[in-house]
Amino acid sequence: MNRKDVSFEAPYPLQVRFRKIVLPALLFLTVVIGFLMSNGSTWLIQKIYLEISENRAGIIDRALQGEDRIAWNDLQRSDDPQEIFKDTKGRHLLESLRGEVQELGLSHLKIYGQGGLLLYSSEEDQIGKFDPSTGYRSALNGQRNLIEKQGADGTKLYELYVRAPENTNDIVMELYEPVNYLDAISMEVIIPATIVPVAVLILLGFGMNTLVGRAQKDINYRTDLLGEFRMRLQELLSDEAVHTLRAATGKGALTSKRVRATILFSDIRGFTDFCENEAPERVVEFLNQSLGLVINAVRQQGGDVDKMIGDAVLAHFQGEDAADRALKAAQEALEQIKIAKLAKQTGIGIYSGDVVIGTIGAANRKDFTVIGDSVNVASRLCSAAKGGEIVIDEKSLASCDFKGTSHLETINVKGRKDPLNIARL
């Protein structure tokens, strides 16, 4: 297995997922909170103004029910308010209305009677005219109304339509309230109440992003270490063992399986004598070179190196053309050993049959290997091969695309009753 096969071992993209999912969610939540707080504060301020205006309308009504009660009641029933204000009581009522506007600090005041008739207006030339505005009709039906206006001096005003709470007549008052004084007080409370949670969310987002960034670096580092460990592990285990380990991760014990395979067994001839006459370092160097050529040839043909046993290599091939690929790997290995002019030659045995691939050993120490009679036969054929020679059973050779020279013979294999037809290549 090469490094391309471990793409699934990429580190978990925590930072990418955080920036794609969590950060947008935090940003959306920040916008929503800002929007709700802003609109909520506006609604609250307007509600306060309406409450104040309704209270002021009640104050005006109660004040006029005092000294000007008769004139005030006459005015509410009148169809011609200008006539009411001509006599002494009416003029006193007019002065009282002017005084209420001044005392309450109203920018403007209008009082509507039946049908939108202006019973009073701070612009006194409008008294007696009809002005059935939308705000008046809404207030007449019990729905207080607020309209934002611009004063003549450029100041912001609220035009508020309310009914006097205790007045039983269809009287609607339109009051003009200056906005700034209450808005300024409200904003001292509302702005911090809006900014604080928004700022907390923003700081939380930055803090979490920093934390996630550090966590991602740690994940990447640990994943790289794990990947390096796995790559080193693959150098010590067969591809089949690595595949089985990965497939079994989180699923319990490793399972064995029976397969049809072609077994390749190689062994260096005269290796014992070589070890006796050479320094250990030279022996290791020779082994690495010789076994490396066999292993490379096996992997080039898609075979799996099961293990190295001293100076021997055990490999297996699976698939319909397993025998053909095994033979090609053996030929390539011997050719490369010949070219390298190594001190000792290698003999190779090839045999096809059923084997079991799985674990053997004790509970605390196991080995993953290929087991079966076919392995034993391949080992015997390897022992029968001379240096630079391949010994393969006749059936395996028949399934190969082989056009070279072969020497057919029958040999007795240790552990088997019947003789075996083989070819020496």
Side-chain angles (χ1 to χ4, degrees), residues 61-337:
D61 181 56
R62 288 191 296 272
L64 298 178
Q65 291 288 353
E67 296 181 7
D68 301 296
R69 181 174 184 177
I70 296 176
W72 172 232
N73 289 333
D74 290 342
L75 180 64
Q76 294 178 66
R77 294 190 294 268
S78 174
D79 294 330
D80 186 4
Q82 291 286 6
E83 288 295 322
I84 298 296
F85 293 127
K86 287 181 179 179
D87 61 19
T88 302
K89 292 181 180 180
R91 286 193 295 272
H92 189 273
L93 173 62
L94 184 60
E95 289 298 325
S96 296
L97 286 166
R98 292 169 180 168
E100 289 297 324
V101 171
Q102 185 175 3
E103 183 177 346
L104 294 175
L106 300 175
S107 299
H108 194 72
L109 173 65
K110 289 182 181 179
I111 300 176
Y112 293 88
Q114 289 286 345
L117 176 67
L118 279 175
L119 301 179
Y120 172 79
S121 173
S122 297
E123 297 174 350
E124 297 181 4
D125 59 331
Q126 301 294 317
I127 296 174
K129 295 183 178 180
F130 283 90
D131 183 18
S133 64
T134 303
Y136 156 74
R137 291 194 298 269
S138 296
L140 190 64
N141 293 325
Q143 182 178 354
R144 299 178 303 186
N145 201 7
L146 180 148
I147 301 173
E148 189 174 313
K149 292 284 187 178
Q150 194 78 21
D153 57 354
T155 59
K156 181 181 176 183
L157 301 171
Y158 279 148
E159 185 179 275
L160 304 115
Y161 295 85
V162 295
R163 296 185 64 170
E166 299 174 3
N167 194 304
T168 57
N169 296 318
D170 293 333
I171 299 298
V172 173
M173 295 189 186
E174 178 185 336
L175 301 89
Y176 285 73
E177 294 275 7
V179 171
N180 296 337
Y181 80 96
L182 186 55
D183 278 4
I185 296 173
S186 302
M187 287 302 152
E188 290 180 2
V189 177
I190 293 171
I191 289 179
T194 304
I195 291 177
V196 169
V198 170
V200 168
L201 284 174
I202 292 174
L203 291 175
L204 179 64
F206 277 112
M208 290 179 66
N209 185 61
T210 302
L211 183 63
V212 168
R214 292 178 179 176
Q216 186 67 66
K217 289 181 179 179
D218 187 58
I219 290 172
N220 293 346
Y221 173 72
R222 293 175 183 271
T223 303
D224 290 341
L225 287 181
L226 183 60
E228 183 179 348
F229 172 76
R230 286 175 174 170
M231 292 304 299
R232 291 182 180 273
L233 190 62
Q234 287 175 198
E235 295 174 356
L236 302 174
L237 298 176
S238 66
D239 291 347
E240 190 72 41
V242 174
H243 280 303
T244 304
L245 284 170
R246 285 176 173 164
T249 300
K251 299 179 181 178
L254 301 178
T255 57
S256 300
K257 61 181 179 179
R258 180 172 178 168
V259 298
R260 183 76 177 178
T262 297
I263 306 300
L264 182 150
F265 212 108
S266 74
D267 186 58
I268 299 174
R269 297 293 172 253
F271 182 68
T272 303
D273 294 338
F274 181 80
C275 291
E276 183 179 356
N277 299 319
E278 295 289 342
E281 292 80 6
R282 170 68 180 131
V283 173
V284 171
E285 180 184 355
F286 168 75
L287 263 182
N288 288 340
Q289 190 175 9
S290 181
L291 297 182
L293 294 174
V294 176
I295 292 170
N296 289 338
V298 169
R299 287 184 169 173
Q300 286 175 7
Q301 292 298 326
D304 186 14
V305 177
D306 184 80
K307 61 170 57 67
M308 288 166 283
I309 311 166
D311 61 324
V313 174
L314 172 60
H316 61 88
F317 296 77
Q318 297 180 40
E320 295 181 0
D321 59 344
D324 187 57
R325 289 185 288 113
L327 179 56
K328 289 179 179 177
Q331 290 174 318
E332 176 66 18
L334 293 183
E335 180 65 23
Q336 291 303 318
I337 290 172

